[in-house]
Amino acid sequence: MRDWLKPASAAEAAREAAGLEWLRAAPGGVRVVRVLEVSRDGLRLERVEPARPDAAAARACGAALARTHAAGAPGWGAPPPGATGEGFLGATVLPTPEEPPSAWGVFYAEHRVLPYLRLAVDAGALDTAGARVVERCADRLAEGALEADQPALVGDGVARLHGDLWSGNLLWTAVEGRAEAVLIDPAAHGGHAETDLAMLALFGAPHLAELLAGYQEVSPLAAGWQQRVGLHQLHPLLVHAALFGGGYGAQAVAAARRWA
């Protein structure tokens, strides 16, 4: 494969490279784009030649993603080893807790939902009433009312997340005549495994039902996971509301209202 340069600041490039290598280190996990060079100009990466995925490739990807998650992380919001500075999700800073929060709900409320709610309100994407709905949801998260078990392979631990797993960051390439998934552009951190799956569902991914079936075969999801998809989508919806406005603010309020 040929290589390609992804422009970034030196700090951003180093952080992303650390995330890619952390994901790559997961035994049996999803294939990750290879970092060829980290420089002040950005990241030089292998070029992924595209292929069309099919149901079998999606099912294999789901199984591999379950193993990536199961590789674990030392705490909620934990960055990749050796990573310095903040991560990024789109054009927004992805804060790293100074101390690992005690539970997922605390992490998600204080380090994902509320910071981006403030940005979305400042951007005019949510009004006062909508912001109150999201705040009530955040209160319930922080109180522990919305905790849920991780998938079976993760167990009582913290999952190793890609962190920005929309379909544009899940590429497909041909390997020996078959399609294989390749991850790019992570915002890698420790979190709840359902977050990555909810992100795939937010903007759609090819053969998503097969991908989820492959995941479930390897690492069954906790009961009620389908109902929690909107809860895990709340953070990226707030990010999009802050960046793009439009209907994302209303979608975020609708997602929060069910849990508020």
Side-chain angles (χ1 to χ4, degrees):
M1 293 183 179
R2 295 167 292 161
D3 61 296
W4 61 284
L5 179 68
K6 179 184 178 183
S9 71
E12 291 170 358
R15 174 79 179 222
E16 183 168 330
L20 291 167
E21 293 308 313
W22 192 43
L23 294 171
R24 179 192 301 282
V30 185
R31 179 176 171 178
V32 178
V33 68
R34 188 175 297 279
V35 177
L36 304 178
E37 182 185 6
V38 182
S39 72
R40 65 182 183 181
D41 297 320
L43 288 174
R44 192 166 297 279
L45 305 168
E46 68 173 338
R47 182 177 293 276
V48 177
E49 301 296 345
R52 185 182 298 277
D54 56 19
R59 187 175 288 261
C61 173
L65 181 60
R67 293 188 286 268
T68 296
H69 288 164
W76 304 109
T84 58
E86 302 291 0
F88 288 84
L89 185 65
T92 65
V93 173
L94 197 64
T96 297
E98 293 185 7
E99 297 291 336
S102 59
W104 172 76
V106 176
F107 160 68
Y108 194 56
E110 296 182 359
H111 298 278
R112 292 296 181 265
V113 174
L114 291 176
Y116 295 95
L117 171 61
R118 288 189 283 270
L119 291 174
V121 169
D122 290 346
L126 277 82
D127 61 16
T128 301
R132 286 178 182 150
V133 173
V134 178
E135 288 169 349
R136 288 197 297 271
C137 180
D139 287 344
R140 297 196 69 214
L141 283 161
E143 292 164 0
L146 304 181
E147 296 291 323
D149 290 341
Q150 294 269 23
L153 280 185
V154 181
D156 295 331
V158 179
R160 185 174 303 189
L161 298 189
H162 177 281
D164 189 16
L165 195 54
W166 70 290
S167 58
N169 288 338
L170 177 63
L171 305 185
W172 302 88
T173 192
V175 178
E176 297 179 353
R178 58 182 177 82
E180 182 178 11
V182 184
L183 299 181
I184 64 169
D185 289 357
H189 65 279
H192 199 294
E194 291 178 11
T195 297
D196 270 351
L197 300 178
M199 191 68 172
L200 282 172
L202 182 57
F203 299 112
H207 304 287
L208 181 58
E210 289 295 331
L211 188 154
L212 292 170
Y215 194 107
Q216 291 264 47
E217 288 173 359
V218 171
S219 184
L221 293 156
W225 68 269
Q226 298 97 326
Q227 286 71 47
R228 291 187 294 274
V229 169
L231 181 64
H232 288 274
Q233 291 175 343
L234 178 56
H235 167 235
L237 285 171
L238 288 170
V239 172
H240 280 71
L243 292 175
F244 307 116
Y248 289 114
Q251 289 182 56
V253 173
R257 182 171 284 115
R258 175 171 187 172
W259 304 98

